Amino acid sequence: MIFLPLPFVVTLFLLTLLLRTLSRDEAGERGSRLFQLLILAYALQSVLVGLRWGYAAREVLPFMSVLASIIAPLTWVFFRTLTEESAAIRGRDVWPHLLPAVVLVLMLALWRGPIGPFIILIYLGYGLGLLWLARRGPDALVSSRLDGAVRSHRAMQVTGFALIGSAVTDVLISMDIARNGGVHAGLIVSVADGLVLLALGMGVAVAGTDLAAADESAAPDEKSVSGDTRSEEVVNIAVMIDAAMRERGLFRDPELNLGKLSRRLGLPARQVSNAINRQFGISVSQYVNGYRVQAACELLAAGDEPISAVMFEVGFLTKSNFNREFLRVTGKSPSAWRNSRRR
């Protein structure tokens, strides 16, 4: 019987995930290319892990090390772009984070001893960096569509913990080698690294598919943000946002994100999110999705239009997000709510 290590199974799943994202390619040229590249890198690393620990191919170790030093920084760069109003990937945003790979290549040529601890520090540092980015909640993901901002935020957190988990795995391997001569190293790596790469791929894919399309027609926001706005300003901004939602129906735009919303209002994104947080006590995504659910309720009560058609008409793009937000607002599923209204 042919031996198929777990990392190879993970590779097949990641490649399937990559093909699905290539077929959709919802975010165009902005952040989608980077997250597709990352999934491909995760799949390649999974193959190398399978060859090393499934078939004892030590020749792949240098390639594993270099690829590992690239994966963690680029994962952080990808999620970092979601926190900016323009998710375009610029060279100056990427090249500083390639320095760990350059250092590791030099270490491979000159001094291989500290390579293991160096990779552990890379993954630990960028994992903690992702959790630090996630501390502000879903509203920090300015470039993520508002109907998927919560999901993308959770994906960021999972990815951060996955990077930290990879560092912990390397520590466990070092301890096993020191105490038991590496008897359990293969099993630890095959299982732990397979799960870590799987979590990384799914996390990046989830956040990547929630990227909103570029809003080229909107003027860039050039106003500066000077911390939290005053209470009276919060009320005025909240009233303006509410009026824009009711009169202009901004919530119906399925590609709406915090950056696009702030540009439509002519305000800095930080002031918009701050006003909504303080005035309504909820996140921007919950606020906008609340309007969408309210509009969905009106359509569901008014006629027999299919629920899927209602979902798209009010601005949702996925059934899972629509059902989750509808349940959060009304306490019922869309079909149960419609049936209760008819009774």
Side-chain angles (χ1 to χ4, degrees):
M1 181 180 294
I2 298 176
F3 174 59
L4 187 64
L6 176 62
F8 289 170
V9 178
V10 173
T11 300
L12 292 175
F13 179 84
L14 291 173
L15 291 177
T16 303
L17 196 61
L18 177 61
L19 291 175
R20 290 178 60 189
T21 59
L22 286 171
S23 65
R24 285 195 298 257
D25 201 10
E26 295 173 349
E29 295 291 336
R30 299 162 72 237
S32 63
R33 293 291 179 257
L34 180 56
F35 88 77
Q36 290 163 0
L37 178 62
L38 280 171
I39 295 176
L40 184 61
Y42 300 150
L44 177 58
Q45 185 75 329
S46 188
V47 170
L48 295 177
V49 170
L51 290 174
R52 169 64 185 94
W53 298 104
Y55 296 98
R58 297 182 60 86
E59 299 80 7
V60 303
L61 276 174
F63 302 101
M64 286 177 57
S65 300
V66 174
L67 191 56
S69 66
I70 294 174
I71 282 177
L74 289 187
T75 300
W76 186 89
V77 169
F78 167 72
F79 278 101
R80 179 68 178 84
T81 62
L82 295 183
T83 66
E84 299 177 347
E85 292 192 34
S86 173
I89 309 297
R90 298 178 295 269
R92 65 175 180 269
D93 298 327
V94 176
W95 75 260
H97 298 281
L98 296 179
L99 291 178
V102 174
V103 172
L104 193 136
V105 170
L106 293 175
M107 292 172 67
L108 284 170
L110 303 175
W111 187 29
R112 296 195 175 192
I115 285 180
F118 182 64
I119 294 177
I120 290 174
L121 288 176
I122 292 174
Y123 273 71
L124 185 62
Y126 280 102
L128 292 173
L130 273 181
L131 296 181
W132 178 256
L133 281 179
R135 75 192 189 282
R136 286 174 49 200
D139 286 352
L141 304 181
V142 180
S143 292
S144 180
R145 284 198 306 262
L146 290 177
D147 76 321
V150 174
R151 190 174 67 161
S152 294
H153 179 255
R154 290 172 181 168
M156 177 189 284
Q157 293 175 313
V158 168
T159 305
F161 284 118
L163 292 177
I164 295 173
S166 181
V168 172
T169 300
D170 287 343
V171 171
L172 293 176
I173 293 171
S174 300
M175 292 174 60
D176 181 64
I177 292 174
R179 295 181 179 181
N180 306 312
V183 174
H184 307 293
L187 178 61
I188 294 174
V189 173
S190 295
V191 175
D193 275 13
L195 293 177
V196 165
L197 289 168
L198 183 62
L200 290 175
M202 293 182 66
V204 169
V206 165
T209 53
D210 284 334
L211 272 170
D215 183 17
E216 302 295 341
S217 63
D221 177 18
E222 298 180 352
K223 298 181 181 181
S224 60
V225 181
S226 56
D228 290 342
T229 53
R230 296 188 300 272
S231 297
E232 60 271 21
E233 290 177 325
V234 166
V235 174
N236 292 335
I237 293 174
V239 169
M240 183 171 64
I241 297 171
D242 223 34
M245 286 292 164
R246 294 179 183 278
E247 298 169 9
R248 296 161 59 186
L250 297 183
F251 62 89
R252 296 183 184 275
D253 180 3
E255 299 291 341
L256 188 66
N257 58 25
L258 178 55
K260 185 182 292 187
L261 176 61
S262 66
R263 289 191 293 271
R264 298 281 177 85
L265 296 171
L267 294 169
R270 183 64 180 274
Q271 287 190 5
V272 173
S273 63
N274 179 68
I276 293 174
N277 297 159
R278 293 178 59 182
Q279 186 68 14
F280 303 108
I282 54 178
S283 67
V284 177
S285 61
Q286 290 175 326
Y287 172 77
V288 173
N289 287 336
Y291 268 100
R292 289 169 171 167
V293 171
Q294 181 181 359
C297 288
E298 294 173 359
L299 293 174
L300 291 172
D304 295 323
E305 190 174 1
I307 292 177
S308 58
V310 170
M311 174 190 78
F312 290 120
E313 188 171 343
V314 299
F316 285 101
L317 281 178
T318 64
K319 187 176 181 180
S320 59
N321 287 339
F322 176 55
N323 289 338
R324 184 190 65 245
E325 290 300 303
F326 200 98
L327 180 63
R328 178 183 64 83
V329 175
T330 68
K332 298 180 180 179
S333 67
S335 57
W337 189 91
R338 170 180 267 176
N339 291 335
S340 67
R341 291 287 294 183
R342 287 175 175 173
R343 287 196 298 269

